Amino acid sequence: MFCYNCGCHLSEHDFCTSCGADVSLYKKIMCMSNRFYNDGLEKAGVRDLTGAINSLRQSLKFNKNNIEARNLLGLVYFETGEVVAALSQWVISKNMMPEGNPASGYIDKLQKNANRLDMINTSIKKYNQCLEYCRNDNPDMAKIQLKKVLSNNPKLIKGYHLLALIY
């Protein structure tokens, strides 16, 4: 861990040995961020994706520069079918740490498969159209469209939730 004031490596003391800044609260904040990250990692490992998203968001509230938490949050978003949210997290992560960041690989892998990206984009547009059908009291059209969306993007959890509400 490094001092927020001067960038010096921190010791076990509650002050920076280089600049003398009080880092006790800073250490607690970083510790909480890491705890939430570890909790999110554990939840993602047992496929509790909603719980993982909540924990990882908490981790980022404590430390927005937590690259590992940001990348994992992107992976969890991608796994739930929320590609735009995943890309957002990966782009932020890549901008924070341009060199040696796994997010670069995730972004490249997604961009290389243009057909899949177009299919995901289309399914998100159709999902939004389904929301409009529901708002306009037309659940039958929404149900038909949602079935097509979910056949193209079976990981879109929000689509399953909306379909369950329609039924």
Side-chain angles (χ1 to χ4, degrees):
M1 192 178 316
F2 298 97
C3 177
Y4 63 88
N5 193 31
C6 67
C8 180
H9 188 69
L10 294 175
S11 65
E12 68 277 352
H13 302 292
D14 286 340
F15 59 90
C16 177
T17 55
S18 177
C19 68
D22 182 15
V23 293
S24 59
L25 185 59
Y26 175 73
K27 283 183 173 182
K28 288 178 185 177
I29 291 170
M30 292 299 113
C31 183
M32 288 302 298
S33 176
N34 290 336
R35 282 185 186 164
F36 278 114
Y37 166 72
N38 289 333
D39 185 52
L41 182 62
E42 186 177 311
K43 287 178 179 179
V46 294
R47 307 288 295 165
D48 177 9
L49 301 180
T50 303
I53 288 171
N54 292 335
S55 293
L56 294 168
R57 280 184 175 167
Q58 281 298 113
S59 174
L60 292 173
K61 283 181 183 177
F62 282 102
N63 179 11
K64 67 180 181 181
N65 296 322
N66 191 337
I67 301 295
E68 292 85 9
R70 197 168 292 282
N71 287 341
L72 181 59
L73 182 59
L75 288 171
V76 174
Y77 277 145
F78 186 78
E79 188 63 25
T80 59
E82 297 184 41
V83 179
V84 174
L87 277 172
S88 297
Q89 293 300 323
W90 293 333
V91 167
I92 292 169
S93 173
K94 187 177 176 181
N95 286 331
M96 287 180 172
M97 187 176 96
E99 299 298 320
N101 193 335
S104 301
Y106 305 146
I107 294 169
D108 291 341
K109 195 174 194 179
L110 192 58
Q111 287 177 338
K112 284 181 182 174
N113 194 347
N115 291 336
R116 177 156 164 74
L117 197 56
D118 285 341
M119 189 241 348
I120 290 170
N121 190 26
T122 303
S123 67
I124 290 171
K125 286 179 183 177
K126 288 181 180 180
Y127 170 77
N128 289 336
Q129 182 63 48
C130 293
L131 288 174
E132 273 305 309
Y133 287 146
C134 289
R135 286 186 191 115
N136 295 330
D137 200 27
N138 197 350
D140 294 333
M141 287 296 292
K143 184 170 51 171
I144 293 168
Q145 189 80 341
L146 269 175
K147 288 180 181 180
K148 292 177 187 176
V149 167
L150 294 174
S151 68
N152 288 336
N153 191 357
K155 292 183 177 184
L156 188 62
I157 303 297
K158 288 182 177 181
Y160 288 108
H161 290 162
L162 183 59
L163 190 59
L165 284 173
I166 291 170
Y167 280 130

